[in-house]
Amino acid sequence: MNPLLEARELTVRYALTGASRRHALTAVDQATFTIAAGEMLGLVGESGCGKSTLARAILRLVPLSAGELHWLGRRVDQLGRKAFRGLRRELQIVFQDPHACLDPRMTIIESVAEPLRSFEPGLSRSGRAARAAALLDQVGLGSGLLERYPHQASGGQLQRAVIARALIVDPRLVVCDEPVSALDVSVQGQIVNLLARIRRERGLAGLFISHNLAVVAGLCERVMVMYLGRIVEIAPRAVLVPAPLHPYTRMLLDAVPRIRPAPRRPVPVVSIGPPDVPVAGCVFAARCAHVVPHCRAETPRLQSSGSGRLVACHRAVEWPGGLPPAAV
């Protein structure tokens, strides 16, 4: 059975012009992964690692430099703009900043109903408003907020509206690009619970992007870890969280706040230079406490290590039980 979405070595490069040379910044480097129907895949990594660029590449909001994108077994990255427009209904996105997503001149209910003008042109204005009102009620926005403008609502309320707007066309996959990072901690939990409930009720598939591994682990079945544009580990949540194999994944887990943190050695901070400089070998070598000469000479590729896990690390076979926190 074909996966819902399949990415094969997706690469996104941006041309940069400096004072004396022209070069390219590789924002996403040969990303390969799948998303099954009804599955929520998490994507984590530090700010600037290429998570949002990958999200936009999936939706054809930025051009691909290389690679293939397949939807339900059909290659779609080579489709023209008009042909790909027919897939927009099935592929939707929730952006990070809800204030930037909604037209300040439109009321909340008007913004949520707006996609129906394109995808269901035969629906009357009252029909669009009724459907939008029903969906806004499902995401927890009462009738008193529907006629308000974006500046009259809180960040959490606006994010619920943005989620409703993505869902109003009944998509099969929703990309959530750090939808809770700009919200208070208490509101973050509400939005994550809302997404989990909607997913159960609708059978949605999704890509949930965050720099917070704890949030991703609470929502997603599988987790994908990205560093400087490269996927370094993919594993089921139940396997990755207790026993990560890549040193960068271990570092992200150690960064999650704990009420009673166990004592451990501090992680050394190493300057790695600008990301546009080509890196020989492993992209994480400059920060890795386990680096050996082979790591600097050859780039590791994603390889299976059992239990549905893929890891890009030359030394992963040395830690079959997972890399312990004290070793980082």
Side-chain angles (χ1 to χ4, degrees):
M1 182 178 179
N2 289 325
L4 195 65
L5 179 77
E6 182 179 7
R8 300 178 184 174
E9 298 190 345
L10 294 190
T11 300
V12 178
R13 297 188 182 95
Y14 295 106
L16 302 176
T17 302
S20 60
R21 64 191 178 105
R22 182 178 179 85
H23 56 288
L25 168 65
T26 302
V28 177
D29 193 1
Q30 302 182 59
T32 298
F33 60 92
T34 61
I35 301 178
E39 178 191 23
M40 185 67 74
L41 173 66
L43 174 60
V44 297
E46 294 169 302
S47 296
C49 72
K51 302 186 302 297
S52 294
T53 300
L54 178 58
R56 286 161 171 76
I58 291 172
L59 299 171
R60 297 280 302 275
L61 299 180
V62 298
L64 286 175
S65 302
E68 299 180 6
L69 186 66
H70 295 254
W71 176 253
L72 291 173
R74 173 193 178 195
R75 186 171 179 179
V76 296
D77 58 281
Q78 295 180 328
L79 294 179
R81 183 175 180 180
K82 184 176 181 180
F84 192 82
R85 191 174 184 274
L87 300 177
R88 296 287 183 197
R89 180 168 193 158
E90 298 182 327
L91 296 160
Q92 289 291 306
I93 186 169
V94 176
F95 289 104
Q96 178 178 353
D97 184 3
H99 294 88
C101 298
L102 301 176
D103 192 329
R105 301 165 297 180
M106 299 174 67
T107 63
I108 289 176
I109 192 170
E110 288 173 340
S111 290
V112 172
E114 182 70 9
L116 295 175
R117 294 170 59 92
S118 297
F119 293 107
E120 296 190 25
L123 196 62
S124 66
R125 181 177 181 178
S126 60
R128 294 194 300 267
R131 187 180 298 185
L135 189 53
L136 285 165
D137 180 66
Q138 292 179 26
V139 299
L141 287 182
S143 58
L145 292 168
L146 305 190
E147 299 299 331
R148 291 187 184 180
Y149 289 89
H151 72 275
Q152 297 174 310
S154 68
Q157 291 168 336
L158 292 182
Q159 196 62 288
R160 291 173 184 267
V162 172
I163 293 171
R165 188 177 63 177
L167 297 177
I168 199 165
V169 293
D170 294 323
R172 300 187 65 174
L173 183 143
V174 175
V175 175
C176 299
D177 185 9
E178 301 207 42
V180 299
S181 63
L183 305 176
D184 293 338
V185 174
S186 60
V187 182
Q188 287 182 16
Q190 296 173 13
I191 298 300
V192 169
N193 291 337
L194 171 65
L195 290 170
R197 176 175 62 81
I198 291 173
R199 183 200 159 203
R200 289 194 305 269
E201 294 173 352
R202 292 173 171 253
L204 271 176
L207 176 66
F208 187 90
I209 300 172
S210 177
H211 60 267
N212 190 329
L213 186 50
V215 173
V216 170
L219 182 65
C220 306
E221 292 94 353
R222 286 194 304 142
V223 180
M224 183 163 62
V225 183
M226 174 177 274
Y227 183 77
L228 284 186
R230 295 190 69 92
I231 305 300
V232 297
E233 189 165 5
I234 307 175
R237 171 190 59 196
V239 173
L240 182 138
V241 174
L245 287 183
H246 199 281
Y248 179 61
T249 308
R250 180 75 268 175
M251 184 181 290
L252 291 178
L253 284 167
D254 285 347
V256 176
R258 294 173 174 82
I259 296 177
R260 295 179 180 177
R264 58 183 180 272
R265 282 169 29 190
V267 178
V269 178
V270 181
S271 175
I272 59 173
D276 58 292
V277 176
V279 178
C282 178
V283 292
F284 191 61
R287 298 175 69 184
C288 184
H290 305 278
V291 64
V292 294
H294 183 50
C295 300
R296 301 186 188 278
E298 182 180 345
T299 301
R301 300 187 65 85
L302 277 176
Q303 296 182 346
S304 174
S305 62
S307 302
R309 186 204 300 263
L310 299 171
V311 61
C313 179
H314 294 306
R315 302 191 61 188
V317 294
E318 301 176 27
W319 309 304
L323 185 61
V328 178

